[in-house]
Each structure stands twice: as C-alpha cells, then as structure tokens.
Amino acid sequence: MKATGITRRIDELGRIVIPKEIRRTLRIREGAPLEIFTDREGQIILKKYSPIGELSQFSGQYAETMAQTTGHLVCITDRDHVIAASGSGKKEFEGKPISRQLDEVMENRKTLVASKDENNFIKITLDDSGEYVTQAISTIICEGDAIGAVILYDKDKNHPMGETENQLVSIAAGFLGKQMEQ
C-alpha cells in the first residue's frame, strides 16, 4: 500500500472525507459506489465498485464471441478499465485504464463510429499506441447510469466501420446493461 501522508478525522455521523487529490487521481466521482473491506490487521480498505466487473467472465465470453464473428478487436470497459478484450491485439488493452476521451463518450452516453482521419476518433486507453484506424463505440447503460462501453476496433483502413458495426455495439451494450439490471 502507498502512504499518502494525509490524515482525516471521522465526524460525529461516522463519515470521513476522501481528499480531493485522491478522488481526482483515482477518478472517484461524487456518488460513486465504494466497496469496504477489512483485514485481520485492522485496516479498512476502500475499493471502487465496478458493477460491470461482476460480469467480467460473462463479458469476456461475450467479447470473444463478438471478436470471432466480426474479426475485429472487441473491448468491454467499465468506467475505469478495459475489463474484457478479445481478438488480435487484446493483450495491448486488457486491464488497461481508459482514456479521458472514452470517459467523456460514456459520460455523454454516446454511440459513435469513426475512422482515424475524422475529428471524433478517440484513443481507448491512456497508452493506446494509435495503430488502430477504425472504431465503433457504444455506452453501456444500466438503470440510467453509464457504467461502461463496448468497442470494436480495427487496424484495417480498407474496411471502415459503418451502420452494421454501429448497430452491433449498440445491441451488445444494451444487452450487457440489461444483464446488469437483473
């Protein structure tokens, strides 16, 4: 564990404030759910809760099926990381933190299809190498909240994505959102 040197007192209602610097660094927003754990040494551990993370195995299988069917790299994210990836290049993306651009797409509940030469093309992860040239992205919405995204990504500029890929990611995002509601 990394020491921050910051201390806080518990107020009369049992609350503690997580410092703004830590919230910003860990991308913890107002109203974000946190899991609380304790260990045998008496430590209290707070962990960001990822509802789509509960479906990580299912998401992995879904991504694998989509990748086999489409031939594209498929990534499924929560609001912080790529939780499942399948297809050529999956090792570059699996478990990586998402880019701020992708976070904005999810925040605005967008669905987009873009090629690299267009203004709306975005990087998926913070360290995205930029090799991919075409993408389709749809936000996963569960009970009114944006909780992640489904992404088709490809390096082949001769096969741009269009309405079919747009519908495919929209269907996948809708299905995963409904799974989370059950």
Side-chain angles (χ1 to χ4, degrees):
M1 241 183 287
K2 183 177 174 183
T4 63
I6 300 170
T7 60
R8 293 286 193 252
R9 296 200 183 274
I10 296 174
D11 71 10
E12 61 278 353
L13 296 175
R15 297 176 298 196
I16 186 167
V17 174
I18 300 171
K20 185 176 186 176
E21 300 81 23
I22 293 173
R23 292 192 320 265
R24 186 180 308 130
T25 302
L26 297 178
R27 297 166 108 179
I28 298 172
R29 297 171 184 79
E30 183 180 323
L34 298 174
E35 289 183 279
I36 302 170
F37 301 93
T38 60
D39 67 11
R40 293 182 183 182
E41 289 85 42
Q43 294 181 335
I44 299 172
I45 301 158
L46 301 175
K47 181 180 174 189
K48 286 176 64 175
Y49 174 71
S50 169
I52 194 88
E54 289 181 8
L55 289 177
S56 62
Q57 183 178 1
F58 179 76
S59 296
Q61 293 169 344
Y62 200 95
E64 187 174 327
T65 302
M66 283 183 69
Q68 288 172 353
T69 304
T70 65
H72 300 299
L73 171 67
V74 177
C75 296
I76 299 174
T77 74
D78 63 12
R79 289 299 299 266
D80 298 305
H81 294 86
V82 175
I83 61 164
S86 188
S88 178
K90 78 176 196 173
K91 290 180 182 174
E92 294 177 50
F93 293 92
E94 209 161 39
K96 300 281 178 83
I98 65 166
S99 69
R100 297 223 185 275
Q101 295 169 310
L102 180 56
D103 188 50
E104 285 178 26
V105 167
M106 288 187 279
E107 186 68 30
N108 294 319
R109 294 168 165 75
K110 289 184 182 175
T111 296
L112 68 90
V113 175
S115 294
K116 194 167 190 167
D117 54 349
E118 298 173 13
N119 290 339
N120 61 344
F121 190 85
I122 65 168
K123 289 190 173 191
I124 302 304
T125 60
L126 292 175
D127 63 353
D128 191 331
S129 64
E131 293 178 48
Y132 291 82
V133 296
T134 185
Q135 63 189 193
I137 302 170
S138 185
T139 304
I140 301 168
I141 298 175
C142 176
E143 297 178 350
D145 294 325
I147 62 168
V150 176
I151 301 147
L152 291 179
Y153 220 19
D154 205 316
K155 295 179 183 178
D156 188 354
K157 63 182 172 189
N158 296 322
H159 293 99
M161 295 190 192
E163 188 57 32
T164 301
E165 289 81 7
N166 186 31
Q167 289 178 350
L168 186 59
V169 292
S170 294
I171 290 166
F175 179 76
L176 290 169
K178 293 289 184 200
Q179 285 297 115
M180 289 304 305
E181 290 175 0
Q182 294 178 1

